[in-house]
Amino acid sequence: KKNKKMSAVVFDTGRRGVGGRCSSRVPRETGFAGAVDHAAQFVEVTAPDGPFARFVDECVLRGTLRRWDTPPRGGYKDRALYVGTAERGIGAFAEDLATDVTIRGGAWV
């Protein structure tokens, strides 16, 4: 959310949309009925009472994230992991993060 005391601009190298490593493609022309995540497959909430946890809860209510009920092996059991929806992928989470933020796309800094 915007801080009324200061102004910031986020520079994103992407040309199609926000997200970078947290972006997705929806290859409709191939007949594939879902989203393909580029790099980040999930987000983790480590402080269940913190502001990030509240934001993730809001994303779940909006339908941009869902709890990952069957996480991968390797120490992920009992951790609060969230993935993007099948239709929009993890990129929808990046779009939620970008709400009400000034973003300049296609920019290298």
Side-chain angles (χ1 to χ4, degrees):
K1 298 195 179 191
K2 282 190 176 182
N3 182 329
K4 297 190 186 327
K5 295 180 183 178
M6 59 189 288
S7 177
V9 176
V10 175
F11 295 93
D12 191 311
T13 58
R15 290 183 179 88
R16 293 187 177 100
V18 300
R21 298 278 180 237
C22 191
S23 61
S24 304
R25 289 276 176 100
V26 182
R28 303 240 188 266
E29 67 279 356
T30 65
F32 183 72
V36 178
D37 294 329
H38 288 279
Q41 282 79 41
F42 63 88
V43 295
E44 180 177 8
V45 173
T46 57
D49 297 324
F52 183 67
R54 288 190 293 278
F55 178 73
V56 167
D57 288 343
E58 292 171 10
C59 290
V60 170
L61 290 174
R62 282 193 293 275
T64 55
L65 287 177
R66 65 178 177 81
R67 183 75 186 249
W68 194 0
D69 295 324
T70 55
R73 297 181 201 176
Y76 290 101
K77 186 179 179 191
D78 299 324
R79 290 168 65 175
L81 305 178
Y82 295 82
V83 294
T85 63
E87 300 81 24
R88 296 178 60 204
I90 199 77
F93 176 66
E95 292 168 7
D96 260 359
L97 284 170
T99 301
D100 296 328
V101 176
T102 302
I103 298 179
R104 301 255 166 79
W108 288 89
V109 178

